[in-house]
Amino acid sequence: KRQIYAAAAAGLAVNLIFLAWVSVLHRKEMMRPRREDVFQATSKVLKYSLPRVGDGPFQASLSLIGVLMAPSIGGLVLAGYIHISQTLVRMTEVLIVPLSVIFLPLTAKNVRAGKRDVLQQQSQMIYDGICLLAIFGALQALVWVGPLLAVFFQQKYAGAEIFLLITIPSVFPYLLYAGFRSFIDGYSSRPVNFIHLVFAVAVVAVGSGLAKLFDSSTGLAVAYTCGISVLGLLSVLYIRRELGVRLASRNLWQVMVSSGVLMGISLGVRSLTPEGHTWLTLAVFIATLLVLGALYALYLGRVQHTTVLFAKRRFIQARSKGKNMGEASDAARQSPAEPGVREDGSPESERRREPVVHP
């Protein structure tokens, strides 16, 4: 109990110090605000935030429904399989959520400025980038999920493979939702994400109920995948309707064709990899993923995929900026550092004075 009280006291102290620091920084803004301004700001914050309070519980319900129903169908083992497969899908959002959070204030700023063309470019960039990462990653995961389970857990959790194979395709729509979540919040004052989550939870609940009715363990995984697919589809259709994002673009076909070909190569490599050699399988997987990832990037750069070209252009700009800064610092070191000192190092005061001739 003492440790719990100490941790709570430490957390309270940190929060108080943070509030004091913020108060000192913004003391001018906080001095005697007008009552009308306070009421107006509070009203705007509540109008924006209260409808979004349900986002967290409904997003958690997408996974909780299947986990709660699993023990009545296949016991706690099935609940563990369902939970692990859904957790691995949610973990993939670390690939895109930081970018999405950056776009939240940027999107709100562009909305206020009326820069619709900039918003369209940003949303198209998010969509193309998600397609590039998610499709290739999901297809490679479908190929190697079985061997990797055997590498790390032998045959102890072999029963989880079927549930992973069912839920891995939901990585793509889940990343679409995660990538556009903050973008949509910054674009619209309406709780669009909350409405989408309500539909997705309804799909998961109905699908899980049917799985319970027919005593189908895999039905729970199918229900989750269907619900996530509805969530991602609603998000991307909203962006298409509002900003005109091109869904079936040339970039998408390039990604799908190249990812499919590389998936076939992975299947061939997997079939040639001997079973029962854990470290050999892991080494083959890492080497195959690195080689295919490099080929994937080279191909998309060759066909001028917009996301690859954007990343390449930013890399070149950062490199040239660093080079210019380095040259500027070298020039500064080579130039005289102090005024009044000549290039030979002698003081300027020792310069020979010209004789003054008086008329």
Side-chain angles (χ1 to χ4, degrees):
K1 291 184 178 179
R2 292 182 179 178
Q3 294 178 351
I4 296 176
Y5 292 149
L12 179 61
V14 170
N15 290 327
L16 291 176
I17 293 173
F18 176 75
L19 289 175
W21 177 60
V22 172
S23 301
V24 171
L25 290 178
H26 300 278
R27 59 183 181 274
K28 293 184 179 179
E29 294 86 344
M30 298 176 64
M31 292 176 62
R32 296 181 181 180
R34 293 190 305 173
R35 183 175 300 179
E36 294 81 5
D37 295 339
V38 174
F39 287 158
Q40 185 178 7
T42 304
S43 176
K44 289 182 179 180
V45 170
L46 292 177
K47 184 179 179 181
Y48 179 85
S49 60
L50 284 180
R52 291 168 168 80
V53 171
D55 288 7
F58 272 81
Q59 186 174 347
S61 299
L62 290 172
S63 303
L64 191 60
I65 293 174
V67 174
L68 292 178
M69 286 190 174
S72 62
I73 299 176
L76 294 178
V77 175
L78 177 61
Y81 290 162
I82 295 294
H83 175 69
I84 291 298
S85 60
Q86 295 175 357
T87 300
L88 292 177
V89 172
R90 295 196 304 271
M91 287 173 60
T92 58
E93 69 179 350
V94 299
L95 299 173
I96 199 66
V97 165
L99 180 63
S100 177
V101 172
I102 291 173
F103 273 115
L104 176 58
L106 189 61
T107 302
K109 180 180 178 181
N110 291 329
V111 169
R112 290 194 301 268
K115 298 180 180 179
R116 185 179 178 85
D117 54 342
V118 177
L119 293 171
Q120 196 275 336
Q121 294 175 1
Q122 292 174 351
S123 58
Q124 188 69 51
M125 186 187 307
I126 294 175
Y127 177 75
D128 292 339
I130 292 173
C131 292
L132 185 148
L133 294 173
I135 295 178
F136 173 79
L139 292 181
Q140 293 299 318
L142 287 174
V143 175
W144 293 99
V145 61
L148 290 179
L149 276 176
V151 166
F152 292 105
F153 304 106
Q154 286 75 41
Q155 298 299 319
K156 187 177 181 180
Y157 297 105
E161 181 178 355
I162 182 62
F163 300 99
L164 290 171
L165 291 174
I166 295 174
T167 55
I168 282 175
S170 64
V171 168
F172 180 38
Y174 185 78
L175 286 181
L176 287 175
Y177 160 72
F180 283 114
R181 179 173 53 198
S182 297
F183 190 92
I184 292 175
D185 281 337
Y187 178 80
S188 176
S189 60
R190 296 173 56 246
V192 177
N193 287 318
F194 176 71
I195 298 173
H196 295 168
L197 284 168
V198 170
F199 281 102
V201 170
V203 171
V204 175
V206 172
S208 300
L210 293 175
K212 177 67 171 64
L213 180 63
F214 293 99
D215 199 26
S216 172
S217 58
T218 56
L220 296 175
V222 173
Y224 176 78
T225 301
C226 291
I228 295 297
S229 300
V230 169
L231 182 61
L233 181 63
L234 290 175
S235 299
V236 77
L237 287 179
Y238 175 83
I239 293 296
R240 178 189 180 187
R241 183 175 67 251
E242 294 293 328
L243 296 174
V245 173
R246 300 184 307 275
L247 301 184
S249 60
R250 182 175 65 93
N251 292 329
L252 179 62
W253 296 116
Q254 292 170 350
V255 168
M256 292 180 63
V257 171
S258 58
S259 298
V261 172
L262 297 177
M263 180 185 181
I265 297 175
S266 289
L267 287 172
V269 174
R270 175 187 169 179
S271 64
L272 296 176
T273 304
E275 298 180 359
H277 298 79
T278 56
W279 295 110
L280 177 61
T281 302
L282 184 61
V284 169
F285 163 72
I286 295 174
T288 303
L289 193 63
L290 291 176
V291 172
L292 295 184
L295 293 176
Y296 185 59
L298 289 174
Y299 169 76
L300 293 180
R302 185 70 178 271
V303 297
Q304 297 184 346
H305 189 280
T306 55
T307 303
V308 178
L309 292 180
F310 174 78
K312 183 179 180 180
R313 183 167 61 250
R314 294 302 298 268
F315 175 77
I316 293 175
Q317 290 176 355
R319 186 177 180 182
S320 61
K321 183 178 180 181
K323 184 178 180 180
N324 293 335
M325 292 178 62
E327 292 177 352
S329 62
D330 292 341
R333 286 194 298 267
Q334 293 175 3
S335 61
E338 299 180 1
V341 178
R342 295 189 298 183
E343 294 184 359
D344 58 357
S346 59
E348 189 71 20
S349 58
E350 297 180 2
R351 183 179 58 187
R352 185 175 60 87
R353 296 183 179 182
E354 297 294 336
V356 180
V357 180
H358 298 280

